[in-house]
Amino acid sequence: MLALKHKTSKELAEHLQINPQTVSSWATNSRQPRLDELFAIAEFLKVGPCELLEI
């Protein structure tokens, strides 16, 4: 979804004020974001949370 929205994991990490390695672990599916993080990611990408779960 980051690529589709022309955003980088670094931009997302900065927006959420978290470590870029955390975003990387989400991208590789080794970790899942908490529910509040999921909503923050959706807001950053301007998509619904359900849309993130479908990909």
Side-chain angles (χ1 to χ4, degrees):
M1 185 61 76
L2 284 170
L4 290 173
K5 295 294 185 170
H6 306 288
K7 301 289 185 184
T8 66
S9 57
K10 183 180 178 185
E11 290 172 321
L12 177 58
E14 288 174 357
H15 177 77
L16 298 177
Q17 298 178 337
I18 60 172
N19 189 316
Q21 292 167 326
T22 301
V23 176
S24 177
S25 69
W26 297 337
T28 60
N29 211 22
S30 60
R31 255 187 85 210
Q32 302 299 316
R34 296 184 320 252
L35 191 55
D36 62 318
E37 293 168 328
L38 180 71
F39 278 89
I41 295 165
E43 182 180 315
F44 174 74
L45 295 173
K46 297 181 180 15
V47 298
C50 292
E51 202 171 339
L52 291 176
L53 299 173
E54 292 174 359
I55 291 183

